[in-house]
Amino acid sequence: MSGIRESFESVAVSTRMRLARNFADYPFPGRLLQDAHAEEQAQEIVRLISSALSGVEKFTLYELKQLSDERMAFLVERNLISRDLVRNRRISAALISSDEIISIMLNEEDHVREQYFMHGFDLSRAWERITGLDDAISDCVPFAFDEQFGYLTACPTNLGTGLRASVMLFLPALSRRGTMAREVVPELLHLGLTVRGAYGEGSGAEGDLFQVSNEVTLGVSEERILTIVGQAVEYIVEEELLGRARMKAEGGLALRDKVCRAYGILTNCCVLEEHEFLRLLADVKLGLALGYLSDGEEDDAWMEELDELTAMLRPANVNRLNGAPLDKAGQDAYRAEYVRRAIRGMNLIME
């Protein structure tokens, strides 16, 4: 298989649906922190949500004030909790499903941040799943809602539906050719969408990964948000696939060499720093997308397999895999050994 993989799945990595909600009868977390009885009220909110979801899914409760810094870093690296939740650790908690596809953050910026994650691109399925969780909670506890402004949230940008629909995209062609910054991002901003790195606001687009999501939640329905984001993703995927074709036609032997060198380093290195790992892994993924490397299959399972490595080999995740904390040198050595085994195990072929 030496041709370019012209598939949606080789671009669209994952889908995330998030809802922001607050309870009508409790101070928002920002004010709750100033209350003398903050911890008691926070515990009541956690109890109410846990009870509401007990019949929906099996969750593990993490009360952040009881977690070590290492454990919290692990959850942040896996995008299961936010840094804002960590900052509110005196009152915050999270309910996380065993398969890590659902994370309910409690007492972050808002009382409830419901999140659903899935591999690939399917906004409708993600929306259906998150609304089931939302209905289960609202049946037990009334949300703060206004007829004019919709769901009331701590940040005005979340007023209205409180919905953020995000899609993670692997965009090496658009990114490296400058098209993303020069053409795509301004167009998305014009449509009321935003582009961030893999770890949300303020993060860079390491590994050529970008999050595309809606910016506007007020005055627009949930259905309209899903339509706008979906159409934007389809446009970006089409442009990325066209860009990959141009990239391969113009890159010649130099581009193939770059891919092969990345593969060679990842399968033979003894020390691997995190940022170098992300850069080299992106080159290997690009090589698979362009047909320079092949896994011998017609599907795009390689995308999910390699993207799982991205999360697994962050510093706190490396420490967890090792079973004990490592210094940076130890992490770099462990990461190299793990990557060598993982990528060699994929039995990739140079075409």
Side-chain angles (χ1 to χ4, degrees), residues 67-78:
L67 296 185
S68 65
D69 290 344
E70 186 70 27
R71 183 60 171 168
M72 285 188 287
F74 167 79
L75 295 173
V76 168
E77 287 178 357
R78 298 193 71 80

Side-chain angles (χ1 to χ4, degrees), residues 7 62 74 84 91 130 169 189 197 202 224 267 270 284 331:
S7 63
Y62 297 91
F74 167 79
D84 284 338
I91 63 169
I130 201 75
L169 302 168
L189 292 174
R224 182 58 182 161
T267 52
C270 296
V284 168
Q331 289 177 355

Side-chain angles (χ1 to χ4, degrees), residues 196-209:
R196 297 185 173 96
Y199 280 75
E201 190 171 358
S203 64
E206 287 188 300
D208 298 315
L209 291 170

Side-chain angles (χ1 to χ4, degrees), residues 113-124:
R113 288 284 178 96
E114 309 164 39
Q115 299 182 105
Y116 175 74
F117 308 90
M118 61 174 289
H119 291 292
F121 174 69
D122 194 334
L123 290 171
S124 297

Side-chain angles (χ1 to χ4, degrees), residues 244-255:
R244 289 180 185 180
R246 289 193 294 269
M247 195 177 192
K248 185 172 184 178
E250 297 170 5
L253 191 60
L255 181 57

Side-chain angles (χ1 to χ4, degrees), residues 103-176:
S103 170
I104 313 293
M105 296 192 294
L106 307 176
N107 297 320
E108 187 223 41
E109 187 178 57
D110 297 295
H111 290 141
V112 187
R113 288 284 178 96
E114 309 164 39
Q115 299 182 105
Y116 175 74
F117 308 90
M118 61 174 289
H119 291 292
F121 174 69
D122 194 334
L123 290 171
S124 297
R125 178 182 163 193
W127 170 242
E128 181 180 349
R129 189 67 188 277
I130 201 75
T131 52
L133 295 170
D134 198 52
D135 290 343
I137 297 171
S138 64
D139 285 344
C140 297
V141 191
F143 288 137
F145 186 85
D146 180 85
E147 289 297 328
Q148 180 180 359
F149 295 110
Y151 291 100
L152 302 180
T153 55
C155 181
T157 59
N158 290 319
L159 282 172
T161 63
L163 170 65
R164 289 296 172 96
S166 305
V167 181
M168 188 82 74
L169 302 168
F170 176 54
L171 303 174
L174 293 178
S175 175
R176 300 183 192 191

